[in-house]
Amino acid sequence: MSVKLSPMDNVMPRIYANFIFSFRLNPGPSSLVHKVLQESLQYTCDELPILRRRVFTIPPDGDGVTGRLEARATCEWTPSVGFKDLSSSWPDYDELVDSGLEQNLLDGAVLLPSEITAYDLEVNGAPVIVAQANFVEGGLLLAFGIFHPVIDGHSGSLLMKVWAKHARSLQQRAVSLAPTLVLHPESTDYGILERIWKQETEKAEQIETIQSSSPQTWRLIGLLAPSEPSVTLDPSASLPKMRTTIFYVPVSSFEAMRAEANHQGDENSPTPAQNTANDALMAKLWRCIIKARARAASETDKHDYAQDVVSLLDLTLDGRALFSPSLPWSYMGTLVFISTTLMSVGKLIDDQTSLTEIATCIRKSVNAINPKRLMAAFGLARSLPDYGDSLRFPFATFNGAEACFTSWIGLSAFDICFGDILFANGGRADYLRPPRREYDAFCRRCVVLPMQVSGGFEILITLKEGEMNLLESDEEFVYYAKVVCH
């Protein structure tokens, strides 16, 4: 049996989202830890059968649509956890933690299985999940990748909770460490979005099509409209030298940022702004990163950051809560939308522009996304005649003053417990990291990592080397965010 993926799955970039969790281990054989991880992943696949599938493109189904994806069950393949012993060649776990788990060390070619890059969508398919347990002295780097058109950040977090639940159940007294997670029965029904859309739009006067959709609707599903200029990279251009830095924002700084973003300079001002702490963070990142990029721009690129040039901020948005009350909270497919905010470069980086004003613009953009707009965006996604090479993503470029940020701050990560028999620290991870230099060949990157138990969190930022030098020395930014490692 095959599962046809939804239009929202089909418009996602066809890449793996990769993660590395670091765990301190209790004394004992690594083979036993690996056995528990392997068995618990198999139980996870029993609960979420979609994980046992491989993704393929399918021929046009009588409607001429090309590039559509389906997940096929393959009896000759089931997910497994790879095993790699790095204890003789890597620092021990204490040293890794003391260094902040340096990003430069986390080579995906070493820590992840080869299927991450050695897959195709025509003959062998792409496995939905791949995983590898990498052991160092005293600890574990658990690396796994999920095929992004099948599972997004929210559902990836749920997947880890299910995996951890089964790992706990294999370790006697560890079962009481966290509540049992029970997913909605329709969580892996990849046709539910289509059925909800048809019900919700049955009486609609007009359904969005390629011809009727505005560029804003295209951007809502993360795509460029046909009328917008292409942003593809010049294959003859030399790649810039990139640098990734991990910053840490303590809870006190996060609270101070929110206060700054809700500051009213005039006592007679109207009702105070209701900007969230995340709005404040996105505003600070947007202003400081564009400021660094503008100041570091070469003579040939300075036109991208002229005072009147419009900077676009694209923020990823989980659409589950807004799409429909009929959608299960634990829906495992992808439902990522993009909120876009516009402001001129001159105004954005002007010291006289308050963080309140920038954060308020972001909040207005987010608030403007409602169920009606999401239904329209889904209608556009399902009307596309080709989900393959014709799709154009606005973020895959070094040109212009656009920025795309992903925030995982609200995703549970550091409260996920794998059991306290084999794992130290109550079975919880010390760090979550992506592999190094994943997107260096085609774009900058900014990912806000999940909130830690302390209330603080880390931010992974990748910029051109000169831009990063300026960001790390920007007093406005480092007042709130401290460098952890590179």
Side-chain angles (χ1 to χ4, degrees):
M1 179 182 175
S2 297
V3 175
K4 287 187 178 180
L5 301 187
S6 84
M8 292 304 297
D9 301 322
N10 278 295
V11 299
M12 290 295 294
R14 297 177 178 189
I15 59 174
Y16 278 90
N18 302 313
F19 308 88
I20 301 165
F21 281 85
S22 73
F23 294 92
R24 187 181 299 278
L25 299 178
N26 288 324
S30 55
S31 58
L32 184 55
V33 177
H34 179 257
K35 182 174 183 290
V36 167
L37 291 173
Q38 178 64 68
E39 290 184 9
S40 57
L41 179 59
Q42 296 306 307
Y43 285 123
T44 302
C45 292
D46 292 341
E47 189 168 348
L48 299 171
I50 191 72
L51 300 179
R52 283 204 170 94
R53 297 176 181 270
R54 299 176 81 99
V55 181
F56 295 81
T57 54
I58 56 177
D61 189 19
D63 53 10
V65 178
T66 58
R68 192 154 39 197
L69 298 175
E70 70 176 10
R72 299 177 193 165
T74 53
C75 59
E76 70 278 7
W77 180 83
T78 188
S80 62
V81 181
F83 180 97
K84 183 169 283 191
D85 184 356
L86 300 173
S87 58
S88 63
S89 57
W90 278 47
D92 65 25
Y93 191 77
D94 284 338
E95 189 174 341
L96 290 175
V97 169
D98 289 344
S99 69
L101 194 60
E102 295 178 1
Q103 190 68 22
N104 286 339
L105 188 65
L106 304 181
D107 186 350
V110 173
L111 301 176
L112 286 157
S114 60
E115 290 96 329
I116 289 294
T117 54
Y119 71 91
D120 67 87
L121 296 173
E122 306 297 332
V123 180
N124 298 313
V128 172
I129 184 171
V130 294
Q132 182 169 295
N134 304 280
F135 292 92
V136 297
E137 190 65 38
L140 162 71
L141 301 180
L142 178 60
F144 70 99
I146 49 178
F147 195 56
H148 213 336
V150 184
I151 295 174
D152 61 17
H154 175 84
S155 49
S157 173
L158 292 177
L159 184 162
M160 285 300 291
K161 289 182 178 181
V162 174
W163 191 357
K165 174 183 71 174
H166 291 296
R168 291 195 306 273
S169 72
L170 292 170
Q171 299 173 67
Q172 300 177 358
R173 64 184 174 84
V175 295
S176 63
L177 288 177
T180 299
L181 175 68
V182 179
L183 302 184
H184 191 280
E186 295 181 313
S187 296
T188 55
D189 181 353
Y190 281 68
I192 193 170
L193 295 181
E194 179 82 9
R195 294 198 302 276
I196 291 173
W197 178 84
K198 287 180 177 178
Q199 293 168 1
E200 299 281 347
T201 60
E202 186 177 8
K203 298 180 181 179
E205 296 180 3
Q206 181 182 0
I207 293 176
E208 292 286 336
T209 65
I210 293 175
Q211 291 73 27
S212 65
S213 295
S214 67
Q216 289 75 23
T217 302
W218 282 84
R219 279 186 170 269
L220 200 51
I221 57 173
L223 299 176
L224 281 174
S227 60
E228 294 190 83
S230 177
V231 295
T232 53
L233 294 169
D234 179 0
S236 64
S238 58
L239 294 177
K241 188 173 183 180
M242 308 295 288
R243 191 164 87 213
T244 295
T245 301
I246 303 288
F247 296 89
Y248 177 72
V249 178
V251 62
S252 57
S253 293
F254 197 33
E255 293 170 350
M257 252 189 286
R258 180 174 186 176
E260 182 186 348
N262 286 283
H263 176 68
Q264 299 295 300
D266 183 353
E267 294 180 358
N268 299 316
S269 294
T271 305
Q274 297 299 314
N275 298 319
T276 68
N278 196 63
D279 296 335
L281 175 62
M282 295 300 106
K284 184 67 72 175
L285 286 167
W286 187 20
R287 192 232 289 278
C288 292
I289 287 176
I290 293 297
K291 187 199 311 179
R293 286 166 53 176
R295 291 177 177 173
S298 65
E299 288 302 320
T300 56
D301 294 332
K302 282 198 177 296
H303 64 278
D304 286 340
Y305 302 97
Q307 294 284 300
D308 58 348
V309 166
V310 174
S311 177
L312 288 78
L313 173 64
D314 301 311
L315 301 178
T316 56
L317 176 71
D318 175 23
R320 286 167 178 78
L322 275 178
F323 192 76
S324 170
S326 303
L327 184 67
W329 65 273
S330 54
Y331 174 63
M332 293 297 293
T334 61
L335 197 57
V336 177
F337 295 94
I338 303 295
S339 166
T340 302
T341 307
L342 286 70
M343 184 175 286
S344 71
V345 170
K347 186 173 186 61
L348 178 63
I349 66 176
D350 189 335
D351 290 340
Q352 299 305 309
T353 303
S354 68
L355 195 68
T356 301
E357 186 172 356
I358 301 170
T360 300
C361 286
I362 294 172
R363 176 48 34 196
K364 287 180 178 177
S365 298
V366 174
N367 286 345
I369 298 176
N370 53 40
K372 183 177 179 180
R373 286 191 65 194
L374 296 192
M375 289 294 162
F378 185 87
L380 170 61
R382 72 186 297 275
S383 73
L384 298 177
D386 176 31
Y387 292 110
D389 294 337
S390 69
L391 299 185
R392 298 182 304 139
F393 304 97
F395 338 110
T397 180
F398 290 108
N399 300 326
E402 186 162 3
C404 180
F405 301 160
T406 297
S407 179
W408 297 337
I409 196 168
L411 294 182
S412 297
F414 297 105
D415 61 349
I416 298 176
C417 168
F418 273 74
D420 68 346
I421 303 298
L422 301 176
F423 296 83
N425 190 33
R428 294 168 175 81
D430 290 301
Y431 286 106
L432 166 62
R433 294 273 194 270
R436 70 182 186 186
R437 296 197 278 274
E438 283 192 298
Y439 302 142
D440 283 14
F442 53 88
C443 68
R444 302 170 179 88
R445 192 181 193 190
C446 178
V447 181
V448 181
L449 299 172
M451 186 174 288
Q452 300 175 359
V453 175
S454 66
F457 54 90
E458 294 178 326
I459 309 171
L460 179 147
I461 302 176
T462 300
L463 297 172
K464 295 180 181 179
E465 191 172 58
E467 297 166 350
M468 185 60 79
N469 288 334
L470 290 170
L471 183 65
E472 289 184 6
S473 60
D474 182 352
E475 292 183 3
E476 178 184 2
F477 188 67
V478 298
Y479 178 80
Y480 294 106
K482 310 303 179 185
V483 173
V484 175
C485 62
H486 295 105

